[in-house]
Amino acid sequence: MPHVVHVEESIDIAAPPDLVYDTIVDVSRWGRFSPECTGATVVEDDGPLRVGSRFSGHNRRGRVRRWTTHCTVTDVEPGRRFGFDSAAIGLPIASWRYHLELLDDGGTRVTEVWHDNRGRLMRVIAVLVSGIRDRATHNRRSMQVTLQRLKAHLEQRPTRPIDARQVQD
């Protein structure tokens, strides 16, 4: 199976781009949406995130597997885009990007982008830590769940609980 290094998922949300952006950059509360990320801790909390800001992302898979990534913000344009690179043990893991597009009806198309930056060693370590062999397929499923939950939150609609097995490999 070829190593997939790039995954994108999009969703249209009936909320303005500024509101969507403000929700996405609230990294400490990502656990509301993600089936894997439980939240993040900003390293230097001295105002809004900007290029160069750092945070630690906390992740969980099942009851036993937990890990932290160290993230650096690489792209900030309120209402339009947000991006960061993640690493662990000094090795690159991935680039994450959120692109926001204003729709004709005033809503927002959100595109979440994951790009795998891991070398061969980090891909092996990552499987041992997370238990996930096919990270691209896993991330595609997780991104779909995350975006659906983000949409439900911003449109104030209750969501059906997602069975964790739906995003497990």
Side-chain angles (χ1 to χ4, degrees):
M1 170 186 338
H3 175 69
V4 177
V5 298
H6 188 87
V7 173
E8 292 187 22
E9 286 293 322
S10 297
I11 197 165
D12 291 352
I13 299 176
D18 289 338
L19 177 60
V20 175
Y21 177 86
D22 289 346
T23 304
I24 289 171
V25 299
D26 186 1
V27 297
S28 66
R29 301 188 70 192
W30 280 353
R32 296 179 291 180
F33 312 116
S34 174
E36 184 170 280
C37 179
T38 60
T41 306
V42 177
V43 174
E44 298 163 358
D45 191 4
D46 59 350
L49 292 176
R50 60 187 180 283
V51 172
S53 293
R54 294 178 300 131
F55 61 92
S56 296
H58 312 294
N59 303 283
R60 176 194 74 244
R61 181 164 186 252
R63 293 178 185 235
V64 178
R65 296 180 187 271
R66 297 177 190 278
W67 66 96
T68 297
T69 58
H70 306 288
C71 305
T72 303
V73 175
T74 58
D75 196 7
V76 170
E77 187 176 343
R80 303 227 3 166
R81 61 182 187 260
F82 175 69
F84 62 93
D85 289 341
S86 63
I89 63 170
L91 297 172
I93 297 174
S95 296
W96 290 89
R97 304 288 179 265
Y98 296 86
H99 300 282
L100 310 179
E101 176 187 349
L102 176 64
L103 300 174
D104 291 338
D105 64 3
T108 306
R109 175 163 298 135
V110 179
T111 301
E112 184 176 14
V113 179
W114 168 79
H115 187 85
D116 191 353
N117 296 331
R118 299 172 302 166
R120 186 179 305 248
L121 174 62
M122 185 49 95
R123 287 195 308 269
V124 170
I125 293 169
V127 170
L128 296 173
V129 170
S130 70
I132 299 165
R133 293 192 183 287
D134 183 352
R135 179 47 83 173
T137 298
H138 176 81
N139 279 3
R140 180 174 305 282
R141 290 183 198 139
S142 293
M143 290 160 72
Q144 291 166 348
V145 170
T146 297
L147 292 172
Q148 283 293 334
R149 289 177 178 172
L150 178 66
K151 176 182 177 78
H153 171 77
L154 289 168
E155 294 178 356
Q156 298 300 309
R157 294 191 315 215
T159 58
R160 188 177 105 247
I162 302 292
D163 186 330
R165 292 170 293 192
Q166 290 177 313
V167 292
Q168 303 293 325
D169 293 37

